[in-house]
Amino acid sequence: MNRSMKGFLILLAASLTLAGCNKPDNEAAPVAEMDQPAQVTPPRSADELMADKIDAVIAGSWRSPANKERDQSRHPKETLEFFGVNPGMTLIEITPGGGWYTEILAPLLKGSGHFHAAVAASASSDYAKRGNDALLAKLTSDPQDYGVVSVDEFDPKAPALGAPGSADMVLTFRNVHNWVGNDTAPQMFKAFFDVLKPGGVLGVVDHRAVAGSDIDAIKKSGYLPQEFVTKLAMDAGFTLAAQSEINANSKDTKDYEQGVWTLPPTYRLNDKDRAKYAAIGESDRMTLKFVKPAGDAIFNPADAKPDDNKPVPATP
């Protein structure tokens, strides 16, 4: 390449470089990208917020260590989520006994609903009076945690639980076998139906007998066939919405000398074979969700689908 051509190429390259640097005044300069979060946190759903609240209540300092220890057998969070407990509800717990579930339900609805404890009239027995007095003392001694709770008595033979259609949910834990034993179960289920709003929920947990068991033969055992309890509810007008194995226990053979009370927490045989019954754990339990139909809805119980919960292994 001759010297004159080489000089021309150098001048051409230089001119192109300068042209690139001299941009028109009206040409926008590139904008630097602003820092953005890697992922926007979505708002929490109502179900997630309720789950957090249930966790906080279950861990509450007002609950005794003995009651908390039984969470592994009673699965309160999973059970209440299955029934669909939500803020703002008017909820009635039937015959709370010592208040194991009341210690969770009352704080859960404090300030965001109405909780009622429905108890059998104390005039019916000294046992009922002692239980009612103990429950009332528990609730009134700690208004900060329990809030405002109505403790309402009902006549077991002619139960009335409140104004018709006034409740969103009725829950009862391990009580149906007592009403069956006292021949008051149909009246109780009718009272549940009457007090619930259309679309309201009845949640039932009770000791489950071997399917097909003769009710008269096992009446005093504390166990009930699941199909028998389902019929009680349906005869009162309910539909079976779902059934869960949350509180199942495959170790429970249901053939004990003192019925279900042979198992923990009662241990009616005291120290006899206590380790054996401790290893079995608490009873096998049905967990049933019924709904009061809205209008003239017709429901086939064969269409009720079990929930996705798997049976929970028993723990000592």
Side-chain angles (χ1 to χ4, degrees), residues 83-236:
F83 289 143
V85 176
N86 281 306
M89 281 187 162
T90 294
L91 187 152
I92 305 174
E93 183 186 4
I94 309 297
T95 317
W100 193 93
Y101 256 105
T102 304
E103 289 183 358
I104 298 172
L105 289 168
L108 193 61
L109 294 175
K110 185 188 73 169
S112 61
H114 301 281
F115 175 74
H116 297 260
V119 299
S122 58
S124 60
S125 70
D126 289 340
Y127 175 81
K129 185 177 188 311
R130 289 195 302 271
N132 295 353
D133 290 347
L135 180 67
L136 187 60
K138 178 198 293 283
L139 296 173
T140 56
S141 67
D142 189 4
Q144 181 176 350
D145 290 315
Y146 294 121
V148 178
V149 177
S150 296
V151 178
D152 307 314
E153 291 192 343
F154 64 88
D155 179 353
K157 295 181 180 179
L161 303 172
S166 61
D168 299 290
M169 182 174 286
V170 170
L171 298 180
T172 184
F173 303 95
R174 304 169 312 282
N175 287 308
V176 181
H177 62 277
N178 292 320
W179 303 325
V180 171
N182 295 330
D183 297 321
T184 58
Q187 299 95 301
M188 292 300 299
F189 277 85
K190 182 63 167 58
F192 305 157
F193 189 88
D194 289 344
V195 78
L196 281 168
K197 301 174 182 177
V201 170
L202 167 63
V204 176
V205 176
D206 217 314
H207 314 293
R208 179 166 49 191
V210 175
S213 297
D214 179 74
I215 190 64
D216 291 327
I218 64 167
K219 199 181 235 186
K220 295 182 179 180
S221 71
Y223 292 96
L224 294 172
Q226 183 166 315
E227 62 270 23
F228 178 83
V229 176
T230 300
K231 187 176 186 303
L232 280 171
M234 293 186 67
D235 285 349

Side-chain angles (χ1 to χ4, degrees), residues 12-74:
L12 178 62
S15 65
L16 291 171
T17 302
L18 290 171
C21 293
N22 296 325
K23 295 183 179 179
D25 290 341
N26 61 353
E27 185 175 340
V31 178
E33 291 186 5
M34 296 179 65
D35 291 338
Q36 296 290 335
Q39 184 175 358
V40 177
T41 303
R44 294 178 64 76
S45 69
D47 287 345
E48 289 172 327
L49 292 172
M50 191 61 179
D52 289 346
K53 188 171 183 180
I54 293 175
D55 284 335
V57 168
I58 288 174
S61 59
W62 59 90
R63 299 186 66 218
S64 69
N67 281 352
K68 288 182 178 181
E69 185 178 350
R70 298 184 69 188
D71 291 348
Q72 62 183 331
S73 298
R74 294 190 167 182

